Amino acid sequence: MAAGASIFGRLAELADFSAATVIVDVAGGNGELLSRILAASPHLHGVPLERPHVIHAARKLLSQAGVMDRCELITGDFTEGIPGGGDVYPLSRVLHDWDDERCAAILRQCAEAMPEHAELLIVERLPPEDDSPALALAWDVHMLCNVGGRERTAAHYGSC
Ligand SMILES: C[S@@+](CC[C@H](N)C(=O)[O-])C[C@H]1O[C@@H](n2cnc3c(N)ncnc32)[C@H](O)[C@@H]1O
C-alpha cells in the first residue's frame, strides 16, 4: 500500500479541511495520507487508528514528516470501536479489502463514532462504469485474489 501512495495525488491540498480540527484516520496504515493532510493544514490534529503491529510505521512516518506533535496514535480494531470526537474520518483503501457485509459493519462502526457534523472521506480507486481499461481493474483482481475484497464503482458507493 505504501508503494501505491500516488493515489493520494493532491487530495491534501484540494479537499477542504478549513472547518475541521480533528482528523480520525480509520486504519491509517503507515500514516502517509494523514501526514500529507496535516502538512498541508497546520491547524489540524490527527488521530490515526491502526492495529498494534502497524502503528509503529505510522509513528515513524508522522515523525519524519514533522507532524507527530499534532497526533494521538490509537491502537485498536475498527470492528470493535472507532475514536469519537473527530470532524473528518478518512477511510482510505479500507473498504476495498472487504466484502459488502464486512464493509457495512465497518461503516456502522464509523457512524456510531462520528459526531453529527462529521464527514466520512472514502478514498478508493473507482473502476470505470464502461469497458474502458483502468488501473482500478487490476486492483480489483488483486483485491479479489488476495483478500476477498473488490474495487467498487461510484454508482455502487452511491447506492449504499
Ligand atoms: C489497505 S491498508 C490501507 C492503509 C491506509 N489507509 C492507506 O490508504 O494507505 C488497510 C489497513 O487496514 C488495517 N486494518 C485491517 N484490519 C483492521 C482492523 N480490524 N482494525 C484497524 N485497522 C485494520 C491494516 O493494518 C491496514 O493498514
Side-chain angles (χ1 to χ4, degrees), residues 9-23:
R10 296 188 56 224
L11 187 158
E13 290 81 25
L14 296 177
D16 182 6
F17 297 107
S18 58
T21 302
V22 177
I23 309 294

Side-chain angles (χ1 to χ4, degrees), residues 1 8 27-29 50-51 54 76-78 92-93 96-98:
M1 298 314 292
F8 300 134
E50 251 302 340
R51 306 294 282 153
V54 178
D77 181 337
F78 56 45
S92 165
R93 301 191 290 179
H96 77 162
D97 286 343
W98 307 99

